[in-house]
């Protein structure tokens, strides 16, 4: 009997009920929310604030500083989460792709000799950070390649080809030499 109850699907949430709850949480007066939920005004205010914070999108920005790869370490990143900036995340290219490893500092009493100074506990947030990291790393590498190409001197073959083209244009613009008998007699 317990197995049958556990296997039963969860009750479906009616769209109208969900819309009404959202209206109460975000639009209705606090007194109406408190009366509907059977809670005090203070509890209704706390509930509205909590649900508003959950519903608000959190702006996240990741900037990456690529380095000469050192094993799986590809660079360092700075993460800005809603105005809170955390530096020195490590950009690591692991067997499952690129990800952010948290910043750490030396801690002699630990097994590895280091301890994390920041942690991401939410799996969804970690996946979002990893996706942003991959994009930021690709942009940073493209930017570095463009800078190198702009600073790279033109190869000799290209320089010679360009000079030949310019000389051809210059020679074409010159007047042709005179090939008459008088021109030969003046020698």
């Amino acid at each position: 009997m317990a197995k049958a109850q556990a296997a039963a699907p969860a009750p479906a949430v009616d769209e109208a009920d969900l819309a009404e709850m959202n209206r109460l949480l975000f639009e209705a007066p606090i007194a109406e929310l408190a009366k509907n939920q059977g809670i005090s005004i203070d509890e209704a205010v706390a509930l509205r604030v909590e649900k508003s914070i959950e519903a608000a999108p959190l702006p996240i920005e990741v900037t990456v500083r690529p380095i000469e790869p050192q094993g799986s370490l590809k660079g360092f990143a700075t993460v800005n989460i809603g105005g809170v900036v955390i530096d020195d995340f490590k950009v690591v290219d692991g067997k499952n792709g690129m990800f952010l490893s948290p910043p750490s500092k030396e801690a002699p009493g630990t097994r590895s000799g280091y301890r994390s100074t920041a942690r991401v506990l939410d799996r969804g947030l970690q996946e979002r950070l990893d996706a942003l990291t991959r994009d930021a790393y690709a942009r940073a590498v493209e930017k570095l390649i463009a800078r190198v190409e702009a600073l790279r001197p033109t190869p000799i073959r290209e320089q010679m080809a360009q000079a030949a083209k310019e000389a051809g244009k210059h020679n074409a613009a010159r007047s042709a030499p005179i090939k008459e008998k008088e021109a030969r007699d003046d020698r």
Side-chain angles (χ1 to χ4, degrees):
M1 170 106 181
K3 287 183 180 179
Q5 289 176 347
V13 177
D14 184 24
E15 291 286 329
D17 290 341
L18 187 59
E20 177 61 16
M21 188 60 186
N22 281 336
R23 186 193 71 77
L24 285 171
L25 283 171
F26 301 115
E27 299 168 9
I30 293 292
E32 184 180 346
L33 174 62
K35 182 179 177 186
N36 184 282
Q37 296 298 307
I39 56 178
S40 71
I41 297 289
D42 291 338
E43 291 170 326
V45 168
L47 179 63
R48 177 170 283 175
V49 168
E50 178 184 332
K51 294 299 181 182
S52 295
I53 290 172
E54 286 177 10
L58 192 57
I60 298 176
E61 182 182 330
V62 176
T63 54
V64 174
R65 296 173 310 279
I67 62 169
E68 184 75 31
Q70 299 173 0
S72 60
L73 181 65
K74 302 297 182 191
F76 293 94
T78 298
V79 177
N80 182 343
I81 302 176
V84 176
V85 178
I86 306 166
D87 289 322
D88 298 328
F89 274 87
K90 292 176 223 52
V91 178
V92 179
D93 194 8
K95 63 180 179 181
N96 294 329
M98 196 168 287
F99 66 94
L100 276 182
S101 178
S104 58
K105 70 177 193 175
E106 289 188 38
T110 62
R111 210 173 356 138
S112 66
Y114 293 90
R115 71 175 182 84
S116 295
T117 57
R119 290 180 285 293
V120 179
L121 301 177
D122 182 44
R123 183 73 185 144
L125 178 58
Q126 181 67 50
E127 289 172 358
R128 186 173 170 194
L129 286 172
D130 292 344
L132 289 170
T133 298
R134 286 187 291 273
D135 294 342
Y137 182 79
R139 281 193 312 272
V141 168
E142 287 174 10
K143 189 175 179 181
L144 281 174
I145 290 171
R147 288 166 91 188
V148 166
E149 290 295 322
L151 295 174
R152 182 187 74 147
T154 309
I156 296 295
R157 287 186 185 193
E158 289 179 27
Q159 291 178 20
M160 294 297 290
Q162 182 65 27
K165 187 185 288 185
E166 288 177 16
K169 286 180 187 177
H170 179 71
N171 288 339
R174 291 175 53 193
S175 62
I178 303 172
K179 295 187 176 183
E180 296 176 8
K181 185 176 179 184
E182 299 95 32
R184 281 186 274 154
D185 291 338
D186 290 340
R187 287 191 251 173

